[in-house]
Structure formats: C-alpha cells, structure tokens
Amino acid sequence: MNGQFQIATHVLTLLCKQPGELLSSDYVAGSMNVNPVLVRKEMRKLRACGLIESKEGKTGGYCLALAPQKITLADVYKAVKLPPALGQAKNKPNPACPVGKQIGAHLDHLADEVEAAIIKKLSTITIFDFVNQFD
C-alpha cells in the first residue's frame, strides 16, 4: 500500500491547523520529512477535487478551499484514487477450472463491499474532527 492517503491527510491537517495562512509545498514536505515532489503530486489531486486552493508566486501557497467541517476523510480517499483495498490479480485464472471461472466475480463483489465499508467509515470523520485529536 502506498502513502497517498497519509500524505493527503497530512496536507489537509496542516492547512486546517494554520487557517488563513498559505503554506508552501516545501513547508508541508518538511513536516512530513518527504520530497516536495510527492507532496505537490497529492496537492494537485486535492486541488482538482476542490479540497484545497493555491496561489501562485513568491508569496503563494496552499489553503483549504472548504471549511474543514465540510471535508470528510472519504473525500480525501476518493481524491487520491487509491488502488482497491484487496488488490487486483495480475493474471486471468483458468476458465476451465471450477474455481478459476468464478473467483473473479466473487472477489470483485467482496472488494466492492470492503470499499463501501471503508468509504462509509471515512464519511463519518471530517478533517475538523481529525484535527481535534491533536494538541
């Protein structure tokens, strides 16, 4: 599993903790101890989904586009477009096998249920709620 969700959530948490300030990707990357390129990649996704705004230039940076009470962790999850929680097979099973010809459909159904459960849970937590866990 990659760290896209963690990076995006960290970005939004920092922006929420510093309302009214424009934060640079370098500042955010420093908080995470990661390369700013990784941060900018996730910020583009968050901006494309309308969760953050950016201002160009020397005094530019990023800020929340919505009130933190209106951004759920499900919004973040959807914005970063994570791979399916149960993964995907790289090969096609043997259609002549009694298991092989059915397993794809059964695993797809299970994956859909898991994905729905993840989104349902994340829909109950806003960035505001998440940030309130911090000192």
Side-chain angles (χ1 to χ4, degrees):
M1 179 153 217
N2 62 40
Q4 294 172 290
F5 179 79
Q6 289 80 1
I7 291 171
T9 302
H10 196 134
V11 167
L12 293 170
T13 299
L14 281 172
L15 295 176
C16 183
K17 292 282 281 178
Q18 299 181 1
E21 292 185 42
L22 292 173
L23 303 182
S24 71
S25 57
D26 288 336
Y27 174 84
V28 174
S31 174
M32 289 182 228
N33 202 25
V34 299
N35 189 306
V37 172
L38 294 173
V39 171
R40 285 190 285 273
K41 181 179 177 188
E42 298 314 312
M43 287 178 147
R44 279 192 297 275
K45 293 175 186 177
L46 295 171
R47 189 176 59 225
C49 290
L51 302 178
I52 65 172
E53 296 175 335
S54 63
K55 179 182 174 195
E56 302 292 325
K58 188 175 181 179
T59 60
Y62 298 86
C63 63
L64 294 178
L66 303 169
Q69 297 90 337
K70 295 188 180 279
I71 301 172
T72 68
L73 293 182
D75 296 326
V76 180
Y77 185 81
K78 292 173 188 175
V80 298
K81 295 179 176 63
L82 295 168
L86 301 181
Q88 290 181 314
K90 293 181 175 39
N91 62 318
K92 295 285 184 192
N94 181 349
C97 171
V99 171
K101 69 181 177 184
Q102 297 179 50
I103 195 158
H106 293 297
L107 286 173
D108 288 348
H109 179 71
L110 180 60
D112 290 345
E113 288 179 341
V114 168
E115 190 79 8
I118 290 170
I119 290 172
K120 181 179 178 181
K121 174 61 180 173
L122 294 177
S123 293
T124 67
I125 306 165
T126 67
I127 288 295
F128 184 79
D129 299 330
F130 187 75
V131 168
N132 281 332
Q133 298 176 85
F134 293 78
D135 297 328

